[in-house]
Amino acid sequence: VLIFFFFKQKTAYEISACTYFFFFQAEDGIRDAQESRGLGDVYKRQYQRRVHGELSKFLMQRLNTLTQQLVAAQRQQDDVFADVQLAPPDVILGLTLAFKADQDPNKVSLGVGAYRDDDGKPYVFQSVRKAEQKIVSANLDKEYAPIDGTPEFIKAAQKLLFAGEDILAKYGRHVVTSQCVGGTGSLRLAFEFLNRFKPGTIYVSNPTWANHNQIVEYMGLRLVQYPYWCPKTKGLNFSGMIECLSQAAPGSIILLHACAHNPTGVDPTAEQWREIAKVCREKRLFPYFDNAYQGFASGDLEKDSLSLRIFLEEGLQFLVTQSFAKNFGLYGERVGAIHVVCNSKEIAERVSSQMKIVVRVTYSNPPIHGARLVQTIIGDSQLFDEWRQELKQVAGRIIQMRAMLRQELESQGAPGKWDHITSQIGMFSYTGLTPKQCDLLTQKYHIYLVKNGRISICGLTTKNVSYVARAIKDVVENA
């Protein structure tokens, strides 16, 4: 007790020195006291000294540990960030690192949401290459872009989003558009704007893209999940979705996936979209579309923007966040946009002014290179047509891989039904595999995927699809 009371006023190094001093003094005193008792038994004294030696060794180890802990504790007290907790690792990043470190020749990555060609390599659109050459040859400056992006980019983004139709004027709508830093940056700014000017509970599908939940929770907003996935049918739980949304409070914000729902690949039909729009209108809910896969789902820009056109037809105001990562292959360029559909020009001007402030205090101005690529392609009829053909081919390969995976699973006799592989659309498929089965796929077959059973169809090739199907058959039968 005295020693520890003494320690309270000392540094870690003084503690270490004093600890050893007190210990050796105590040890010598014990040994002298034992020998002075005149026990007369040599063997007994030898035994006691051996015991004392072992005890001394044990105490020294404990004291060394204690000293190290005290030194670490003192350093931690001196660290400004000592209370910062270690965050959990990103699941997708962890899969990528594990895949790269794996030396197995048969390894397959089905986790990352990025397109790969039939050789498993990243793909750069030829139309993007040509647009880049065109930009470089123009010898353009590197000045700041306007806060909301260049007029050329805004026009191009709106043209793409509404598939080239002049439906905004048709329905008397005015759209406010701001270029943002990728799809994630668009989401973050959209929630910032809504939280400031139209706060409400955020409804997201269960399941949804993990970053949706993280952004909402990080901002301290209230999040509620609405039913979406039906494990029994491996399809849409539409009745559960409608029932939940019908009970939402007026003013609630409903986050919807415009097409190619991530992670399930399950989208509502046209009639179901109309029913969702009806509920939003009658219950005065605010629709918010995340549009990350237009054209990438079916290869058809108009088909993939059907949900937006239906909500316009139904007279609803809504917000859209748009990403150009997947459909232009501009993953690292971080090109995105926010679109707010308003009923009047006056309101649109107010919204635009406030959106610019949100951008200004966040990153001031959007980056220019990726935006120039997008506006160059969409603004050049020849490049635009070439890009659309490439996009159709990319979407076609994904559709082909879905069909091949289903065919392989069925021909190899994998237990269960696999028609959901081809009924789902877009980059991802929600296979229905359990976490245990996913773990076994990775451990035994070096196939990397997230534990909820979502796979990226882009990771499949004509060379590995049979191997993947055989592995799935094994884990379904034995895990």
Side-chain angles (χ1 to χ4, degrees):
V1 172
L2 288 173
I3 290 173
F4 279 94
F5 178 78
F6 177 77
F7 283 170
K8 290 175 67 176
Q9 306 301 324
K10 301 295 179 182
T11 68
Y13 301 104
E14 290 172 331
I15 287 171
S16 179
C18 292
T19 296
Y20 288 115
F21 173 76
F22 282 123
F23 173 77
F24 282 119
Q25 288 290 92
E27 186 186 47
D28 290 343
I30 292 171
R31 185 178 292 113
D32 292 342
Q34 291 281 0
E35 292 178 354
S36 65
R37 289 175 183 171
L39 297 175
D41 188 340
V42 175
Y43 295 105
K44 190 173 183 178
R45 284 200 302 272
Q46 290 176 347
Y47 172 75
Q48 288 176 333
R49 286 177 176 171
R50 190 160 60 250
V51 170
H52 293 157
E54 293 297 325
L55 179 61
S56 300
K57 182 179 178 181
F58 171 76
L59 289 174
M60 286 296 296
Q61 291 173 345
R62 296 292 294 170
L63 286 168
N64 276 327
T65 301
L66 175 62
T67 302
Q68 292 170 6
Q69 291 173 345
L70 289 168
V71 171
Q74 181 173 329
R75 286 177 179 168
Q76 192 174 45
Q77 287 177 354
D78 294 338
D79 196 320
V80 175
F81 301 106
D83 294 331
V84 176
Q85 301 298 312
L86 183 66
D90 184 87
V91 175
I92 301 299
L93 178 60
L95 283 175
T96 303
L97 293 175
F99 174 77
K100 288 181 177 179
D102 194 331
Q103 299 300 311
D104 191 275
N106 296 317
K107 66 180 182 178
V108 181
S109 176
L110 301 180
V112 180
Y115 181 76
R116 297 291 182 263
D117 63 18
D118 198 48
D119 292 320
K121 303 296 183 183
Y123 177 75
V124 179
F125 285 75
Q126 289 305 305
S127 52
V128 170
R129 294 288 194 201
K130 291 178 181 178
E132 203 154 35
Q133 291 172 1
K134 191 173 181 180
I135 291 168
V136 171
S137 63
N139 196 29
L140 301 174
D141 61 46
K142 299 294 183 180
E143 292 295 302
Y144 290 123
I147 292 174
D148 54 351
T150 64
E152 295 83 1
F153 173 82
I154 291 172
K155 182 180 178 181
Q158 290 180 357
K159 177 183 176 181
L160 182 67
L161 189 66
F162 299 105
E165 297 183 31
D166 193 17
I167 57 176
L168 297 175
K170 178 181 178 181
Y171 294 105
R173 301 306 176 80
H174 300 266
V175 177
V176 174
T177 299
S178 287
Q179 183 194 339
C180 299
V181 185
T184 302
S186 303
L187 284 160
R188 183 65 171 80
L189 260 70
F191 281 124
E192 192 73 49
F193 176 81
L194 291 172
N195 187 44
R196 187 172 180 83
F197 298 101
K198 197 191 182 320
T201 300
I202 314 295
Y203 279 75
V204 302
S205 63
N206 182 22
T208 190
W209 182 45
N211 225 13
H212 286 155
N213 296 332
Q214 289 184 158
I215 293 170
V216 173
E217 291 171 350
Y218 192 83
M219 294 181 65
L221 307 180
R222 185 168 183 265
L223 183 145
V224 174
Q225 293 182 317
Y226 60 83
Y228 194 87
W229 169 253
C230 179
K232 184 177 180 180
T233 64
K234 296 183 176 63
L236 177 62
N237 180 5
F238 185 67
S239 61
M241 177 183 180
I242 292 297
E243 181 182 0
C244 180
L245 297 186
S246 298
Q247 297 172 4
S252 295
I253 298 162
I254 313 302
L255 182 59
L256 303 161
H257 298 227
C259 68
H261 184 274
N262 180 4
T264 67
V266 175
D267 284 357
T269 64
E271 287 306 313
Q272 288 172 334
W273 276 123
R274 289 190 174 89
E275 183 65 23
I276 296 168
K278 180 182 177 182
V279 171
C280 289
R281 186 180 63 252
E282 291 178 351
K283 297 297 180 179
R284 299 183 67 82
L285 309 177
F286 184 75
Y288 173 177
F289 288 94
D290 188 12
N291 185 32
Y293 298 97
Q294 184 186 3
F296 203 83
S298 67
D300 187 323
L301 293 173
E302 293 186 13
K303 184 177 180 180
D304 290 351
S305 64
L306 173 65
S307 58
L308 306 182
R309 293 202 304 278
I310 287 174
F311 275 63
L312 280 173
E313 292 170 6
E314 294 293 329
L316 289 160
Q317 293 178 264
F318 54 90
L319 184 151
V320 186
T321 44
Q322 182 182 22
S323 171
F324 299 87
K326 307 296 191 300
N327 51 13
F328 279 78
L330 300 177
Y331 303 99
E333 298 292 352
R334 312 310 299 139
V335 191
I338 295 174
H339 306 267
V340 184
V341 178
C342 304
N343 281 338
S344 72
K345 183 178 180 181
E346 179 188 357
I347 296 298
E349 289 175 351
R350 294 187 207 168
V351 169
S352 177
S353 68
Q354 293 293 343
M355 187 69 77
K356 287 176 182 177
I357 292 176
V358 177
V359 172
R360 179 62 172 158
V361 301
T362 307
Y363 52 81
S364 286
N365 311 79
I368 57 175
H369 185 68
R372 283 173 173 171
L373 290 171
V374 170
Q375 69 193 44
T376 299
I377 291 172
I378 297 177
D380 183 308
S381 59
Q382 184 175 344
L383 282 178
F384 187 56
D385 288 342
E386 185 176 336
W387 169 75
R388 290 185 70 161
Q389 287 301 313
E390 285 186 276
L391 184 61
K392 191 172 183 178
Q393 292 171 6
V394 164
R397 195 188 90 77
I398 294 174
I399 294 170
Q400 178 193 17
M401 286 300 101
R402 284 186 178 277
M404 289 185 68
L405 178 61
R406 177 183 174 181
Q407 181 182 5
E408 287 288 344
L409 288 166
E410 291 174 345
S411 65
Q412 293 186 31
K417 295 180 63 179
W418 299 98
D419 56 316
H420 61 283
I421 299 294
T422 51
S423 64
Q424 296 169 4
I425 63 171
M427 179 176 284
F428 301 108
S429 175
Y430 223 45
T431 61
L433 295 172
T434 67
K436 185 177 179 181
Q437 291 166 345
C438 294
D439 283 340
L440 189 57
L441 279 174
T442 302
Q443 295 165 8
K444 186 175 180 179
Y445 291 100
H446 305 269
I447 297 173
Y448 292 83
L449 70 164
V450 289
K451 291 187 178 183
N452 62 10
R454 187 202 79 170
I455 63 172
S456 174
I457 300 296
C458 301
L460 296 173
T461 69
T462 54
K463 306 173 187 66
N464 66 25
V465 65
S466 179
Y467 172 76
V468 170
R470 185 166 64 253
I472 292 175
K473 175 180 183 292
D474 178 48
V475 300
V476 171
E477 289 176 340
N478 299 299

